[in-house]
Amino acid sequence: MGKVTGFMEFERLEEGYEPVEKRLKNYKEFVIGLKADESKVQAARCMDCGTPFCNNGCPVNNIIPDFNDLVFHGDWKNAITVLHSTNNFPEFTGRICPAPCEAACTLNVNDDAVGIKSIEHAIIDRAWEEGWVVPQPPKAKTGKKVAVVGSGPAGMAAAQQLARAGHDVTLFEKNDRPGGLLRYGIPDFKMEKTHIDRRVKQMEAEGVVFRNNVMVGELPKGSKVTSWAKETISPAQLKADFDAVLLTGGSEQSRDLPVPGRELSGIHFAMELLPQQNKVNHGGKVKDPIRADGKHVIVIGGGDTGSDCVGTSNRHGAASVTQFEVMPQPPVEENRPLTWPYWPMKLRTSSSHEEGCTREFAVSTKEFTGKDGKVTGLKTVHVEFKDGKLVEIPGTEKEYKADLVLLAMGFVNPVATVLDGFGVAKDARGNAKATTDADGGYKTNVDKVFAAGDMRRGQSLVVWAIREGRQAAREVDQFLMGATTLPR
């Protein structure tokens, strides 16, 4: 390593944030990245640990010690080469990945982990500034045509890899712009969409054709899944027109809360609010937009999507924001000798929470109450684990005022009609049934139809989507050509 004793000499340095009062006035990113000299110091903390668990902690298996060493020595150009060798879009992961690599860092056993995510962020931002990120068109074309359905991180990663292998790739997206849930799920204040736009231009120069506003199959009647499609194409047509089809749509069927009063107006899925706001941010118009201005907002669900609803509601100017989590409050600090190198269960406070939010744990919603058809509040009860089950605690009933309720309890499966249209077999959770075995990995039961990302594994992280897209691309290339040089 660049400085063998660096981990003993330097403390972890966190990326900074703009002040709350400033960032709440807009939807722009507010993270202040590390400067070059700060990145060098942070990279110096990377230990010569022998077995770098961070590599395995990272779903795309980033070669972390290598790019840390290159940053320490000021070789930023080779650092981005190493980073791109495993990750097509480090500007996405460097902003919104929760960094399981840092949980697995050897230094994290009894100290603060190396700031791997902040170094990755610095490398890719420097690479764009220096003009090192350029199109990589194939040297020869194969004459094979591949359709990729869903332009989120899995679809984009797969499409880019397949185009670089020489195939003619068409990427289908049901909304008006590519990016999938990156575009219409992740708020702009966490990741501005210019990062997607730059990659789209690069991929177009590499030969990828983007077809937006095209729905493959049809959405179920009354579906709350966001779609602004203006055209429909049948699965049968895709199978007839292409040599291989890869399904990479997101897991967009939101988990509902079927309790009394659910029919009241003012109760929405998070994925109704978030796509609308992102569309409006970029000049689009939305009929009857969901707004939190001056309202008492209840967010049900304690994960990242719930946190995104908190940040968006605060930017609207909500009177108050309260977030419910049905699970008990986790410990502030994990038992590291017990959990390392795995992802620990501990209390996580996001930047949105710091902007203003009351958090309630071990709370279950019993009923929504309303007046004149509109939600005005809800009734709750505290719960606890007993004999492996969550049970209500008598005497803990409570009522909350609510003008707007946002359901952010996760996603159950992808749009079923897409899989049904292709005749793809599903697993017990409603995802596409396709293994990751070396022999025929990512292939479904339908000839020449593959599945990856949320479509196959269910709701997950952007870094897992990129990994699956890359691996699926390799399998598709192997299927089409009988051999492949694409990396896993």
Side-chain angles (χ1 to χ4, degrees):
M1 302 308 300
K3 190 169 181 60
V4 177
T5 58
F7 71 97
M8 296 187 290
E9 299 175 31
F10 305 118
E11 299 294 326
R12 177 182 170 102
L13 179 63
E14 300 283 356
E15 294 180 313
Y17 292 160
E18 290 184 353
V20 171
E21 60 272 15
K22 181 178 179 181
R23 67 190 197 228
L24 284 182
K25 295 178 180 178
N26 57 64
Y27 292 87
K28 295 181 179 180
E29 291 180 13
F30 51 81
V31 173
I32 303 171
L34 300 186
K35 299 177 182 177
D37 57 339
E38 294 170 334
S39 298
K40 177 178 179 178
V41 171
Q42 189 59 219
R45 300 183 68 240
C46 187
M47 304 167 66
D48 188 10
C49 59
T51 302
F53 286 88
C54 56
N55 287 5
N56 288 335
C58 173
V60 292
N61 303 122
N62 278 337
I63 313 170
I64 294 163
D66 292 47
F67 68 62
N68 283 344
D69 184 59
L70 290 164
V71 167
F72 176 81
H73 286 100
D75 191 352
W76 291 80
K77 192 168 186 179
N78 274 323
I80 187 57
T81 299
V82 170
L83 184 51
H84 267 153
S85 70
T86 56
N87 186 351
N88 294 65
F89 314 118
E91 63 268 49
F92 302 166
T93 52
R95 284 169 168 80
I96 60 175
C97 181
C101 55
E102 294 185 14
C105 174
T106 302
L107 189 56
N108 194 49
V109 172
N110 62 354
D111 200 347
D112 293 329
V114 175
I116 300 167
K117 179 179 175 180
S118 62
I119 296 171
E120 178 180 10
H121 186 181
I123 293 171
I124 183 59
D125 281 9
R126 173 86 176 258
W128 279 109
E129 291 169 5
E130 298 287 350
W132 297 333
V133 184
V134 296
Q136 300 177 38
K139 295 180 180 179
K141 301 289 283 186
T142 65
K144 301 290 186 179
K145 299 193 298 181
V146 182
V148 179
V149 181
S151 70
M156 289 181 66
Q160 186 167 63
Q161 293 293 95
L162 288 165
R164 289 175 176 178
H167 305 303
D168 293 320
V169 181
T170 303
L171 209 164
F172 293 87
E173 169 58 48
K174 71 180 185 301
N175 289 318
D176 56 347
R177 298 183 184 186
L181 293 176
L182 278 176
R183 170 85 61 182
Y184 287 119
I186 303 296
D188 288 356
F189 56 80
K190 288 177 67 174
M191 194 191 84
E192 293 179 15
K193 305 312 177 247
T194 52
H195 305 297
I196 302 173
D197 297 337
R198 292 193 295 196
R199 286 295 183 177
V200 169
K201 289 182 179 178
Q202 180 197 32
M203 292 170 64
E204 287 177 333
E206 293 170 344
V208 177
V209 175
F210 288 84
R211 289 193 59 186
N212 303 320
N213 287 313
V214 178
M215 181 71 199
V216 176
E218 295 182 0
L219 286 174
K221 189 175 182 180
S223 173
K224 296 293 186 179
V225 172
T226 300
S227 174
W228 292 293
K230 297 179 180 179
E231 179 184 348
T232 300
I233 187 170
S234 71
Q237 189 65 51
L238 282 192
K239 287 181 63 180
D241 292 346
F242 293 88
D243 299 298
V245 178
L246 175 58
L247 307 178
T248 59
S251 185
E252 296 184 83
Q253 296 285 4
S254 300
R255 182 173 284 107
D256 209 343
L257 186 59
V259 299
R262 174 63 180 89
E263 74 284 354
L264 293 168
S265 66
I267 303 172
H268 301 275
F269 290 120
M271 285 305 296
E272 293 179 77
L273 168 74
L274 299 176
Q276 286 187 6
Q277 187 58 60
N278 284 3
K279 188 175 180 70
V280 170
N281 289 348
H282 294 271
K285 293 184 178 180
V286 176
K287 184 180 180 181
D288 300 324
I290 302 166
R291 296 290 304 182
D293 313 60
K295 295 180 180 178
H296 296 283
V297 180
I298 301 288
V299 178
I300 301 179
D304 289 340
T305 305
S307 176
D308 294 343
C309 290
V310 170
T312 301
S313 297
N314 281 327
R315 280 161 179 75
H316 282 186
S320 69
V321 183
T322 304
Q323 186 177 23
F324 292 165
E325 169 57 65
V326 73
M327 302 298 289
Q329 181 172 329
V332 175
E333 284 291 334
E334 72 273 31
N335 184 338
R336 296 189 187 187
L338 180 65
T339 60
W340 180 87
Y342 302 108
W343 184 249
M345 179 63 70
K346 67 177 183 178
L347 182 65
R348 304 178 192 278
T349 301
S350 73
S351 58
S352 292
H353 294 140
E354 295 170 351
E355 293 165 0
C357 175
T358 299
R359 303 172 74 183
E360 300 284 354
F361 293 88
V363 171
S364 177
T365 302
K366 296 277 291 179
E367 179 184 354
F368 296 112
T369 57
K371 183 178 180 181
D372 299 328
K374 296 181 179 180
V375 68
T376 58
L378 47 78
K379 297 179 180 180
T380 67
V381 64
H382 279 279
V383 293
E384 64 178 350
F385 272 106
K386 187 173 290 186
D387 298 327
K389 297 180 180 179
L390 279 174
V391 297
E392 298 180 3
I393 303 175
T396 61
E397 293 80 4
K398 187 175 180 180
E399 294 189 28
Y400 288 83
K401 180 177 176 59
D403 307 305
L404 174 63
V405 178
L406 300 170
L407 305 180
M409 302 174 295
F411 305 88
V412 291
N413 50 253
V415 179
T417 50
V418 175
L419 298 178
D420 293 341
F422 282 97
V424 170
K426 291 177 280 190
D427 62 18
R429 296 182 300 160
N431 302 316
K433 193 173 183 179
T435 70
T436 56
D437 296 341
D439 183 19
Y442 296 91
K443 195 174 189 310
T444 70
N445 62 302
V446 181
D447 182 45
K448 73 180 184 181
V449 177
F450 297 75
D454 286 5
M455 186 73 76
R456 190 199 71 83
R457 65 177 285 119
Q459 178 194 7
S460 193
L461 306 175
V462 62
V463 67
W464 270 108
I466 294 172
R467 172 198 173 106
E468 294 237 334
R470 287 171 60 88
Q471 291 189 339
R474 176 183 171 87
E475 298 300 331
V476 172
D477 189 39
Q478 173 79 33
F479 167 76
L480 293 174
M481 307 303 294
T484 182
T485 58
L486 288 177
R488 285 180 60 87

